[in-house]
mmCIF file with all atom_site columns, all heavy atoms in Angstrom:
data_model
loop_
_atom_site.group_PDB
_atom_site.id
_atom_site.type_symbol
_atom_site.label_atom_id
_atom_site.label_alt_id
_atom_site.label_comp_id
_atom_site.label_asym_id
_atom_site.label_entity_id
_atom_site.label_seq_id
_atom_site.pdbx_PDB_ins_code
_atom_site.Cartn_x
_atom_site.Cartn_y
_atom_site.Cartn_z
_atom_site.occupancy
_atom_site.B_iso_or_equiv
_atom_site.pdbx_formal_charge
_atom_site.auth_seq_id
_atom_site.auth_comp_id
_atom_site.auth_asym_id
_atom_site.auth_atom_id
_atom_site.pdbx_PDB_model_num
ATOM 1   N N   . VAL A 1 1  ? -20.533 -9.162  8.655  1.00 0.00 ? 1  VAL A N   1
ATOM 2   C CA  . VAL A 1 1  ? -19.867 -9.801  7.554  1.00 0.00 ? 1  VAL A CA  1
ATOM 3   C C   . VAL A 1 1  ? -19.158 -8.850  6.666  1.00 0.00 ? 1  VAL A C   1
ATOM 4   O O   . VAL A 1 1  ? -18.110 -9.148  6.137  1.00 0.00 ? 1  VAL A O   1
ATOM 5   C CB  . VAL A 1 1  ? -20.908 -10.603 6.759  1.00 0.00 ? 1  VAL A CB  1
ATOM 6   C CG1 . VAL A 1 1  ? -20.304 -11.135 5.478  1.00 0.00 ? 1  VAL A CG1 1
ATOM 7   C CG2 . VAL A 1 1  ? -21.485 -11.694 7.549  1.00 0.00 ? 1  VAL A CG2 1
ATOM 8   N N   . ARG A 1 2  ? -19.694 -7.635  6.438  1.00 0.00 ? 2  ARG A N   1
ATOM 9   C CA  . ARG A 1 2  ? -19.012 -6.717  5.531  1.00 0.00 ? 2  ARG A CA  1
ATOM 10  C C   . ARG A 1 2  ? -19.337 -5.260  5.953  1.00 0.00 ? 2  ARG A C   1
ATOM 11  O O   . ARG A 1 2  ? -20.374 -4.954  6.492  1.00 0.00 ? 2  ARG A O   1
ATOM 12  C CB  . ARG A 1 2  ? -19.516 -6.951  4.093  1.00 0.00 ? 2  ARG A CB  1
ATOM 13  C CG  . ARG A 1 2  ? -21.022 -6.857  3.940  1.00 0.00 ? 2  ARG A CG  1
ATOM 14  C CD  . ARG A 1 2  ? -21.366 -7.115  2.503  1.00 0.00 ? 2  ARG A CD  1
ATOM 15  N NE  . ARG A 1 2  ? -22.861 -7.014  2.400  1.00 0.00 ? 2  ARG A NE  1
ATOM 16  C CZ  . ARG A 1 2  ? -23.484 -7.045  1.205  1.00 0.00 ? 2  ARG A CZ  1
ATOM 17  N NH1 . ARG A 1 2  ? -22.758 -7.236  0.098  1.00 0.00 ? 2  ARG A NH1 1
ATOM 18  N NH2 . ARG A 1 2  ? -24.767 -6.949  1.126  1.00 0.00 ? 2  ARG A NH2 1
ATOM 19  N N   . GLU A 1 3  ? -18.418 -4.436  5.689  1.00 0.00 ? 3  GLU A N   1
ATOM 20  C CA  . GLU A 1 3  ? -18.580 -3.006  5.969  1.00 0.00 ? 3  GLU A CA  1
ATOM 21  C C   . GLU A 1 3  ? -18.976 -2.250  4.662  1.00 0.00 ? 3  GLU A C   1
ATOM 22  O O   . GLU A 1 3  ? -19.442 -1.129  4.690  1.00 0.00 ? 3  GLU A O   1
ATOM 23  C CB  . GLU A 1 3  ? -17.280 -2.422  6.552  1.00 0.00 ? 3  GLU A CB  1
ATOM 24  C CG  . GLU A 1 3  ? -16.941 -2.999  7.889  1.00 0.00 ? 3  GLU A CG  1
ATOM 25  C CD  . GLU A 1 3  ? -15.638 -2.420  8.369  1.00 0.00 ? 3  GLU A CD  1
ATOM 26  O OE1 . GLU A 1 3  ? -14.841 -2.026  7.545  1.00 0.00 ? 3  GLU A OE1 1
ATOM 27  O OE2 . GLU A 1 3  ? -15.441 -2.359  9.560  1.00 0.00 ? 3  GLU A OE2 1
ATOM 28  N N   . GLU A 1 4  ? -18.696 -2.832  3.550  1.00 0.00 ? 4  GLU A N   1
ATOM 29  C CA  . GLU A 1 4  ? -19.035 -2.203  2.299  1.00 0.00 ? 4  GLU A CA  1
ATOM 30  C C   . GLU A 1 4  ? -19.269 -3.331  1.300  1.00 0.00 ? 4  GLU A C   1
ATOM 31  O O   . GLU A 1 4  ? -19.065 -4.510  1.543  1.00 0.00 ? 4  GLU A O   1
ATOM 32  C CB  . GLU A 1 4  ? -17.935 -1.357  1.776  1.00 0.00 ? 4  GLU A CB  1
ATOM 33  C CG  . GLU A 1 4  ? -16.515 -2.002  1.664  1.00 0.00 ? 4  GLU A CG  1
ATOM 34  C CD  . GLU A 1 4  ? -15.485 -1.056  1.328  1.00 0.00 ? 4  GLU A CD  1
ATOM 35  O OE1 . GLU A 1 4  ? -15.716 0.087   1.163  1.00 0.00 ? 4  GLU A OE1 1
ATOM 36  O OE2 . GLU A 1 4  ? -14.322 -1.529  1.209  1.00 0.00 ? 4  GLU A OE2 1
ATOM 37  N N   . ALA A 1 5  ? -19.768 -3.004  0.098  1.00 0.00 ? 5  ALA A N   1
ATOM 38  C CA  . ALA A 1 5  ? -20.024 -3.999  -0.920 1.00 0.00 ? 5  ALA A CA  1
ATOM 39  C C   . ALA A 1 5  ? -18.779 -4.771  -1.265 1.00 0.00 ? 5  ALA A C   1
ATOM 40  O O   . ALA A 1 5  ? -17.734 -4.198  -1.497 1.00 0.00 ? 5  ALA A O   1
ATOM 41  C CB  . ALA A 1 5  ? -20.594 -3.325  -2.177 1.00 0.00 ? 5  ALA A CB  1
ATOM 42  N N   . PRO A 1 6  ? -18.829 -6.134  -1.300 1.00 0.00 ? 6  PRO A N   1
ATOM 43  C CA  . PRO A 1 6  ? -17.671 -6.885  -1.577 1.00 0.00 ? 6  PRO A CA  1
ATOM 44  C C   . PRO A 1 6  ? -17.191 -6.722  -2.993 1.00 0.00 ? 6  PRO A C   1
ATOM 45  O O   . PRO A 1 6  ? -17.950 -6.517  -3.895 1.00 0.00 ? 6  PRO A O   1
ATOM 46  C CB  . PRO A 1 6  ? -18.144 -8.354  -1.287 1.00 0.00 ? 6  PRO A CB  1
ATOM 47  C CG  . PRO A 1 6  ? -19.614 -8.302  -1.534 1.00 0.00 ? 6  PRO A CG  1
ATOM 48  C CD  . PRO A 1 6  ? -20.071 -6.913  -1.116 1.00 0.00 ? 6  PRO A CD  1
ATOM 49  N N   . SER A 1 7  ? -15.918 -6.834  -3.179 1.00 0.00 ? 7  SER A N   1
ATOM 50  C CA  . SER A 1 7  ? -15.388 -6.813  -4.527 1.00 0.00 ? 7  SER A CA  1
ATOM 51  C C   . SER A 1 7  ? -14.587 -8.033  -4.762 1.00 0.00 ? 7  SER A C   1
ATOM 52  O O   . SER A 1 7  ? -14.329 -8.844  -3.886 1.00 0.00 ? 7  SER A O   1
ATOM 53  C CB  . SER A 1 7  ? -14.441 -5.595  -4.694 1.00 0.00 ? 7  SER A CB  1
ATOM 54  O OG  . SER A 1 7  ? -13.365 -5.665  -3.804 1.00 0.00 ? 7  SER A OG  1
ATOM 55  N N   . SER A 1 8  ? -14.092 -8.228  -6.056 1.00 0.00 ? 8  SER A N   1
ATOM 56  C CA  . SER A 1 8  ? -13.365 -9.422  -6.298 1.00 0.00 ? 8  SER A CA  1
ATOM 57  C C   . SER A 1 8  ? -12.027 -9.416  -5.606 1.00 0.00 ? 8  SER A C   1
ATOM 58  O O   . SER A 1 8  ? -11.401 -10.478 -5.416 1.00 0.00 ? 8  SER A O   1
ATOM 59  C CB  . SER A 1 8  ? -13.087 -9.467  -7.805 1.00 0.00 ? 8  SER A CB  1
ATOM 60  O OG  . SER A 1 8  ? -12.444 -8.261  -8.305 1.00 0.00 ? 8  SER A OG  1
ATOM 61  N N   . GLU A 1 9  ? -11.591 -8.308  -5.142 1.00 0.00 ? 9  GLU A N   1
ATOM 62  C CA  . GLU A 1 9  ? -10.334 -8.215  -4.457 1.00 0.00 ? 9  GLU A CA  1
ATOM 63  C C   . GLU A 1 9  ? -10.382 -8.733  -3.024 1.00 0.00 ? 9  GLU A C   1
ATOM 64  O O   . GLU A 1 9  ? -9.363  -8.906  -2.362 1.00 0.00 ? 9  GLU A O   1
ATOM 65  C CB  . GLU A 1 9  ? -9.780  -6.822  -4.461 1.00 0.00 ? 9  GLU A CB  1
ATOM 66  C CG  . GLU A 1 9  ? -9.524  -6.251  -5.852 1.00 0.00 ? 9  GLU A CG  1
ATOM 67  C CD  . GLU A 1 9  ? -9.130  -4.776  -5.843 1.00 0.00 ? 9  GLU A CD  1
ATOM 68  O OE1 . GLU A 1 9  ? -9.042  -4.227  -4.738 1.00 0.00 ? 9  GLU A OE1 1
ATOM 69  O OE2 . GLU A 1 9  ? -8.788  -4.253  -6.900 1.00 0.00 ? 9  GLU A OE2 1
ATOM 70  N N   . SER A 1 10 ? -11.602 -8.878  -2.539 1.00 0.00 ? 10 SER A N   1
ATOM 71  C CA  . SER A 1 10 ? -11.787 -9.252  -1.136 1.00 0.00 ? 10 SER A CA  1
ATOM 72  C C   . SER A 1 10 ? -11.682 -10.768 -0.916 1.00 0.00 ? 10 SER A C   1
ATOM 73  O O   . SER A 1 10 ? -11.781 -11.271 0.180  1.00 0.00 ? 10 SER A O   1
ATOM 74  C CB  . SER A 1 10 ? -13.142 -8.737  -0.601 1.00 0.00 ? 10 SER A CB  1
ATOM 75  O OG  . SER A 1 10 ? -14.149 -9.482  -1.263 1.00 0.00 ? 10 SER A OG  1
ATOM 76  N N   . HIS A 1 11 ? -11.509 -11.515 -2.039 1.00 0.00 ? 11 HIS A N   1
ATOM 77  C CA  . HIS A 1 11 ? -11.455 -12.979 -1.904 1.00 0.00 ? 11 HIS A CA  1
ATOM 78  C C   . HIS A 1 11 ? -10.249 -13.399 -1.056 1.00 0.00 ? 11 HIS A C   1
ATOM 79  O O   . HIS A 1 11 ? -9.142  -12.927 -1.293 1.00 0.00 ? 11 HIS A O   1
ATOM 80  C CB  . HIS A 1 11 ? -11.349 -13.573 -3.311 1.00 0.00 ? 11 HIS A CB  1
ATOM 81  C CG  . HIS A 1 11 ? -11.323 -15.081 -3.306 1.00 0.00 ? 11 HIS A CG  1
ATOM 82  N ND1 . HIS A 1 11 ? -12.430 -15.848 -2.943 1.00 0.00 ? 11 HIS A ND1 1
ATOM 83  C CD2 . HIS A 1 11 ? -10.334 -15.975 -3.519 1.00 0.00 ? 11 HIS A CD2 1
ATOM 84  C CE1 . HIS A 1 11 ? -12.127 -17.144 -3.006 1.00 0.00 ? 11 HIS A CE1 1
ATOM 85  N NE2 . HIS A 1 11 ? -10.832 -17.221 -3.335 1.00 0.00 ? 11 HIS A NE2 1
ATOM 86  N N   . GLY A 1 12 ? -10.488 -14.253 -0.082 1.00 0.00 ? 12 GLY A N   1
ATOM 87  C CA  . GLY A 1 12 ? -9.427  -14.713 0.742  1.00 0.00 ? 12 GLY A CA  1
ATOM 88  C C   . GLY A 1 12 ? -9.226  -13.875 1.971  1.00 0.00 ? 12 GLY A C   1
ATOM 89  O O   . GLY A 1 12 ? -8.430  -14.193 2.836  1.00 0.00 ? 12 GLY A O   1
ATOM 90  N N   . LYS A 1 13 ? -9.902  -12.734 2.043  1.00 0.00 ? 13 LYS A N   1
ATOM 91  C CA  . LYS A 1 13 ? -9.800  -11.847 3.243  1.00 0.00 ? 13 LYS A CA  1
ATOM 92  C C   . LYS A 1 13 ? -10.996 -12.033 4.098  1.00 0.00 ? 13 LYS A C   1
ATOM 93  O O   . LYS A 1 13 ? -11.962 -12.766 3.744  1.00 0.00 ? 13 LYS A O   1
ATOM 94  C CB  . LYS A 1 13 ? -9.637  -10.386 2.788  1.00 0.00 ? 13 LYS A CB  1
ATOM 95  C CG  . LYS A 1 13 ? -8.434  -10.111 1.861  1.00 0.00 ? 13 LYS A CG  1
ATOM 96  C CD  . LYS A 1 13 ? -8.433  -8.671  1.518  1.00 0.00 ? 13 LYS A CD  1
ATOM 97  C CE  . LYS A 1 13 ? -7.221  -8.354  0.597  1.00 0.00 ? 13 LYS A CE  1
ATOM 98  N NZ  . LYS A 1 13 ? -7.142  -6.957  0.199  1.00 0.00 ? 13 LYS A NZ  1
ATOM 99  N N   . GLN A 1 14 ? -10.984 -11.293 5.229  1.00 0.00 ? 14 GLN A N   1
ATOM 100 C CA  . GLN A 1 14 ? -12.162 -11.327 6.073  1.00 0.00 ? 14 GLN A CA  1
ATOM 101 C C   . GLN A 1 14 ? -13.317 -10.593 5.464  1.00 0.00 ? 14 GLN A C   1
ATOM 102 O O   . GLN A 1 14 ? -13.073 -9.529  4.853  1.00 0.00 ? 14 GLN A O   1
ATOM 103 C CB  . GLN A 1 14 ? -11.834 -10.773 7.433  1.00 0.00 ? 14 GLN A CB  1
ATOM 104 C CG  . GLN A 1 14 ? -11.017 -11.731 8.321  1.00 0.00 ? 14 GLN A CG  1
ATOM 105 C CD  . GLN A 1 14 ? -10.889 -11.182 9.719  1.00 0.00 ? 14 GLN A CD  1
ATOM 106 O OE1 . GLN A 1 14 ? -10.824 -9.990  9.937  1.00 0.00 ? 14 GLN A OE1 1
ATOM 107 N NE2 . GLN A 1 14 ? -10.883 -12.077 10.730 1.00 0.00 ? 14 GLN A NE2 1
ATOM 108 N N   . GLY A 1 15 ? -14.547 -11.070 5.676  1.00 0.00 ? 15 GLY A N   1
ATOM 109 C CA  . GLY A 1 15 ? -15.649 -10.391 5.105  1.00 0.00 ? 15 GLY A CA  1
ATOM 110 C C   . GLY A 1 15 ? -15.891 -10.709 3.680  1.00 0.00 ? 15 GLY A C   1
ATOM 111 O O   . GLY A 1 15 ? -15.196 -11.514 3.062  1.00 0.00 ? 15 GLY A O   1
ATOM 112 N N   . GLY A 1 16 ? -16.925 -10.049 3.072  1.00 0.00 ? 16 GLY A N   1
ATOM 113 C CA  . GLY A 1 16 ? -17.160 -10.298 1.653  1.00 0.00 ? 16 GLY A CA  1
ATOM 114 C C   . GLY A 1 16 ? -17.923 -11.590 1.449  1.00 0.00 ? 16 GLY A C   1
ATOM 115 O O   . GLY A 1 16 ? -18.426 -12.229 2.372  1.00 0.00 ? 16 GLY A O   1
ATOM 116 N N   . TRP A 1 17 ? -17.967 -12.062 0.192  1.00 0.00 ? 17 TRP A N   1
ATOM 117 C CA  . TRP A 1 17 ? -18.761 -13.186 -0.151 1.00 0.00 ? 17 TRP A CA  1
ATOM 118 C C   . TRP A 1 17 ? -18.180 -14.517 0.317  1.00 0.00 ? 17 TRP A C   1
ATOM 119 O O   . TRP A 1 17 ? -18.833 -15.572 0.267  1.00 0.00 ? 17 TRP A O   1
ATOM 120 C CB  . TRP A 1 17 ? -18.934 -13.222 -1.707 1.00 0.00 ? 17 TRP A CB  1
ATOM 121 C CG  . TRP A 1 17 ? -19.787 -12.143 -2.162 1.00 0.00 ? 17 TRP A CG  1
ATOM 122 C CD1 . TRP A 1 17 ? -19.474 -11.024 -2.777 1.00 0.00 ? 17 TRP A CD1 1
ATOM 123 C CD2 . TRP A 1 17 ? -21.226 -12.089 -1.944 1.00 0.00 ? 17 TRP A CD2 1
ATOM 124 N NE1 . TRP A 1 17 ? -20.591 -10.210 -3.023 1.00 0.00 ? 17 TRP A NE1 1
ATOM 125 C CE2 . TRP A 1 17 ? -21.668 -10.844 -2.530 1.00 0.00 ? 17 TRP A CE2 1
ATOM 126 C CE3 . TRP A 1 17 ? -22.159 -12.938 -1.356 1.00 0.00 ? 17 TRP A CE3 1
ATOM 127 C CZ2 . TRP A 1 17 ? -22.987 -10.430 -2.540 1.00 0.00 ? 17 TRP A CZ2 1
ATOM 128 C CZ3 . TRP A 1 17 ? -23.515 -12.523 -1.354 1.00 0.00 ? 17 TRP A CZ3 1
ATOM 129 C CH2 . TRP A 1 17 ? -23.882 -11.331 -1.917 1.00 0.00 ? 17 TRP A CH2 1
ATOM 130 N N   . VAL A 1 18 ? -16.966 -14.563 0.795  1.00 0.00 ? 18 VAL A N   1
ATOM 131 C CA  . VAL A 1 18 ? -16.415 -15.787 1.380  1.00 0.00 ? 18 VAL A CA  1
ATOM 132 C C   . VAL A 1 18 ? -17.223 -16.281 2.595  1.00 0.00 ? 18 VAL A C   1
ATOM 133 O O   . VAL A 1 18 ? -17.264 -17.434 2.908  1.00 0.00 ? 18 VAL A O   1
ATOM 134 C CB  . VAL A 1 18 ? -14.920 -15.597 1.756  1.00 0.00 ? 18 VAL A CB  1
ATOM 135 C CG1 . VAL A 1 18 ? -14.773 -14.649 2.947  1.00 0.00 ? 18 VAL A CG1 1
ATOM 136 C CG2 . VAL A 1 18 ? -14.285 -16.947 2.065  1.00 0.00 ? 18 VAL A CG2 1
ATOM 137 N N   . THR A 1 19 ? -17.915 -15.312 3.226  1.00 0.00 ? 19 THR A N   1
ATOM 138 C CA  . THR A 1 19 ? -18.738 -15.696 4.417  1.00 0.00 ? 19 THR A CA  1
ATOM 139 C C   . THR A 1 19 ? -20.130 -16.139 3.989  1.00 0.00 ? 19 THR A C   1
ATOM 140 O O   . THR A 1 19 ? -20.797 -16.700 4.858  1.00 0.00 ? 19 THR A O   1
ATOM 141 C CB  . THR A 1 19 ? -18.870 -14.492 5.336  1.00 0.00 ? 19 THR A CB  1
ATOM 142 O OG1 . THR A 1 19 ? -19.615 -13.443 4.557  1.00 0.00 ? 19 THR A OG1 1
ATOM 143 C CG2 . THR A 1 19 ? -17.547 -13.917 5.769  1.00 0.00 ? 19 THR A CG2 1
ATOM 144 N N   . PHE A 1 20 ? -20.534 -15.975 2.769  1.00 0.00 ? 20 PHE A N   1
ATOM 145 C CA  . PHE A 1 20 ? -21.862 -16.227 2.315  1.00 0.00 ? 20 PHE A CA  1
ATOM 146 C C   . PHE A 1 20 ? -22.324 -17.681 2.584  1.00 0.00 ? 20 PHE A C   1
ATOM 147 O O   . PHE A 1 20 ? -23.398 -17.896 3.144  1.00 0.00 ? 20 PHE A O   1
ATOM 148 C CB  . PHE A 1 20 ? -22.071 -15.841 0.898  1.00 0.00 ? 20 PHE A CB  1
ATOM 149 C CG  . PHE A 1 20 ? -23.457 -15.989 0.404  1.00 0.00 ? 20 PHE A CG  1
ATOM 150 C CD1 . PHE A 1 20 ? -24.427 -14.991 0.741  1.00 0.00 ? 20 PHE A CD1 1
ATOM 151 C CD2 . PHE A 1 20 ? -23.865 -17.068 -0.415 1.00 0.00 ? 20 PHE A CD2 1
ATOM 152 C CE1 . PHE A 1 20 ? -25.733 -15.133 0.301  1.00 0.00 ? 20 PHE A CE1 1
ATOM 153 C CE2 . PHE A 1 20 ? -25.160 -17.188 -0.836 1.00 0.00 ? 20 PHE A CE2 1
ATOM 154 C CZ  . PHE A 1 20 ? -26.090 -16.209 -0.537 1.00 0.00 ? 20 PHE A CZ  1
ATOM 155 N N   . PRO A 1 21 ? -21.525 -18.699 2.262  1.00 0.00 ? 21 PRO A N   1
ATOM 156 C CA  . PRO A 1 21 ? -21.991 -20.078 2.450  1.00 0.00 ? 21 PRO A CA  1
ATOM 157 C C   . PRO A 1 21 ? -22.242 -20.369 3.925  1.00 0.00 ? 21 PRO A C   1
ATOM 158 O O   . PRO A 1 21 ? -23.187 -21.120 4.296  1.00 0.00 ? 21 PRO A O   1
ATOM 159 C CB  . PRO A 1 21 ? -20.822 -20.928 1.914  1.00 0.00 ? 21 PRO A CB  1
ATOM 160 C CG  . PRO A 1 21 ? -20.111 -20.051 0.955  1.00 0.00 ? 21 PRO A CG  1
ATOM 161 C CD  . PRO A 1 21 ? -20.235 -18.674 1.522  1.00 0.00 ? 21 PRO A CD  1
ATOM 162 N N   . PHE A 1 22 ? -21.450 -19.791 4.810  1.00 0.00 ? 22 PHE A N   1
ATOM 163 C CA  . PHE A 1 22 ? -21.601 -20.044 6.220  1.00 0.00 ? 22 PHE A CA  1
ATOM 164 C C   . PHE A 1 22 ? -22.886 -19.392 6.763  1.00 0.00 ? 22 PHE A C   1
ATOM 165 O O   . PHE A 1 22 ? -23.626 -19.997 7.554  1.00 0.00 ? 22 PHE A O   1
ATOM 166 C CB  . PHE A 1 22 ? -20.397 -19.513 7.025  1.00 0.00 ? 22 PHE A CB  1
ATOM 167 C CG  . PHE A 1 22 ? -19.069 -20.223 6.599  1.00 0.00 ? 22 PHE A CG  1
ATOM 168 C CD1 . PHE A 1 22 ? -18.247 -19.518 5.817  1.00 0.00 ? 22 PHE A CD1 1
ATOM 169 C CD2 . PHE A 1 22 ? -18.766 -21.425 7.066  1.00 0.00 ? 22 PHE A CD2 1
ATOM 170 C CE1 . PHE A 1 22 ? -17.027 -20.069 5.388  1.00 0.00 ? 22 PHE A CE1 1
ATOM 171 C CE2 . PHE A 1 22 ? -17.572 -22.061 6.653  1.00 0.00 ? 22 PHE A CE2 1
ATOM 172 C CZ  . PHE A 1 22 ? -16.704 -21.355 5.780  1.00 0.00 ? 22 PHE A CZ  1
ATOM 173 N N   . ILE A 1 23 ? -23.143 -18.163 6.297  1.00 0.00 ? 23 ILE A N   1
ATOM 174 C CA  . ILE A 1 23 ? -24.270 -17.428 6.762  1.00 0.00 ? 23 ILE A CA  1
ATOM 175 C C   . ILE A 1 23 ? -25.556 -18.067 6.243  1.00 0.00 ? 23 ILE A C   1
ATOM 176 O O   . ILE A 1 23 ? -26.531 -18.337 6.983  1.00 0.00 ? 23 ILE A O   1
ATOM 177 C CB  . ILE A 1 23 ? -24.211 -15.983 6.329  1.00 0.00 ? 23 ILE A CB  1
ATOM 178 C CG1 . ILE A 1 23 ? -22.990 -15.300 6.956  1.00 0.00 ? 23 ILE A CG1 1
ATOM 179 C CG2 . ILE A 1 23 ? -25.514 -15.237 6.695  1.00 0.00 ? 23 ILE A CG2 1
ATOM 180 C CD1 . ILE A 1 23 ? -23.002 -15.269 8.427  1.00 0.00 ? 23 ILE A CD1 1
ATOM 181 N N   . ILE A 1 24 ? -25.636 -18.345 4.957  1.00 0.00 ? 24 ILE A N   1
ATOM 182 C CA  . ILE A 1 24 ? -26.815 -18.914 4.375  1.00 0.00 ? 24 ILE A CA  1
ATOM 183 C C   . ILE A 1 24 ? -27.102 -20.329 4.915  1.00 0.00 ? 24 ILE A C   1
ATOM 184 O O   . ILE A 1 24 ? -28.245 -20.709 5.134  1.00 0.00 ? 24 ILE A O   1
ATOM 185 C CB  . ILE A 1 24 ? -26.757 -18.894 2.850  1.00 0.00 ? 24 ILE A CB  1
ATOM 186 C CG1 . ILE A 1 24 ? -28.123 -19.002 2.215  1.00 0.00 ? 24 ILE A CG1 1
ATOM 187 C CG2 . ILE A 1 24 ? -25.916 -20.072 2.291  1.00 0.00 ? 24 ILE A CG2 1
ATOM 188 C CD1 . ILE A 1 24 ? -28.210 -18.801 0.708  1.00 0.00 ? 24 ILE A CD1 1
ATOM 189 N N   . GLY A 1 25 ? -26.039 -21.121 5.180  1.00 0.00 ? 25 GLY A N   1
ATOM 190 C CA  . GLY A 1 25 ? -26.217 -22.415 5.769  1.00 0.00 ? 25 GLY A CA  1
ATOM 191 C C   . GLY A 1 25 ? -26.728 -22.319 7.165  1.00 0.00 ? 25 GLY A C   1
ATOM 192 O O   . GLY A 1 25 ? -27.626 -23.132 7.589  1.00 0.00 ? 25 GLY A O   1
ATOM 193 N N   . CYS A 1 26 ? -26.235 -21.382 7.962  1.00 0.00 ? 26 CYS A N   1
ATOM 194 C CA  . CYS A 1 26 ? -26.675 -21.210 9.305  1.00 0.00 ? 26 CYS A CA  1
ATOM 195 C C   . CYS A 1 26 ? -28.135 -20.756 9.346  1.00 0.00 ? 26 CYS A C   1
ATOM 196 O O   . CYS A 1 26 ? -28.934 -21.231 10.136 1.00 0.00 ? 26 CYS A O   1
ATOM 197 C CB  . CYS A 1 26 ? -25.777 -20.202 10.026 1.00 0.00 ? 26 CYS A CB  1
ATOM 198 S SG  . CYS A 1 26 ? -26.228 -19.854 11.749 1.00 0.00 ? 26 CYS A SG  1
ATOM 199 N N   . ILE A 1 27 ? -28.470 -19.762 8.530  1.00 0.00 ? 27 ILE A N   1
ATOM 200 C CA  . ILE A 1 27 ? -29.872 -19.265 8.455  1.00 0.00 ? 27 ILE A CA  1
ATOM 201 C C   . ILE A 1 27 ? -30.833 -20.409 8.104  1.00 0.00 ? 27 ILE A C   1
ATOM 202 O O   . ILE A 1 27 ? -31.871 -20.543 8.745  1.00 0.00 ? 27 ILE A O   1
ATOM 203 C CB  . ILE A 1 27 ? -29.967 -18.135 7.432  1.00 0.00 ? 27 ILE A CB  1
ATOM 204 C CG1 . ILE A 1 27 ? -29.314 -16.861 7.975  1.00 0.00 ? 27 ILE A CG1 1
ATOM 205 C CG2 . ILE A 1 27 ? -31.424 -17.839 7.093  1.00 0.00 ? 27 ILE A CG2 1
ATOM 206 C CD1 . ILE A 1 27 ? -29.293 -15.724 6.967  1.00 0.00 ? 27 ILE A CD1 1
ATOM 207 N N   . GLY A 1 28 ? -30.474 -21.175 7.081  1.00 0.00 ? 28 GLY A N   1
ATOM 208 C CA  . GLY A 1 28 ? -31.337 -22.275 6.643  1.00 0.00 ? 28 GLY A CA  1
ATOM 209 C C   . GLY A 1 28 ? -31.565 -23.275 7.739  1.00 0.00 ? 28 GLY A C   1
ATOM 210 O O   . GLY A 1 28 ? -32.752 -23.666 8.026  1.00 0.00 ? 28 GLY A O   1
#
């Protein structure tokens, strides 16, 4: 999901917190 800590500039790009809902939904 990420190679480094996400920043606000990563919104809309690959990786970062945009992936979080998909990962947490899948895990649950």
Side-chain angles (χ1 to χ4, degrees):
V1 172
R2 55 180 181 175
E3 296 177 332
E4 56 186 359
S7 64
S8 59
E9 298 177 357
S10 67
H11 182 73
K13 299 180 181 180
Q14 283 189 325
W17 289 107
V18 69
T19 62
F20 185 76
F22 300 102
I23 298 301
I24 200 170
C26 182
I27 287 176

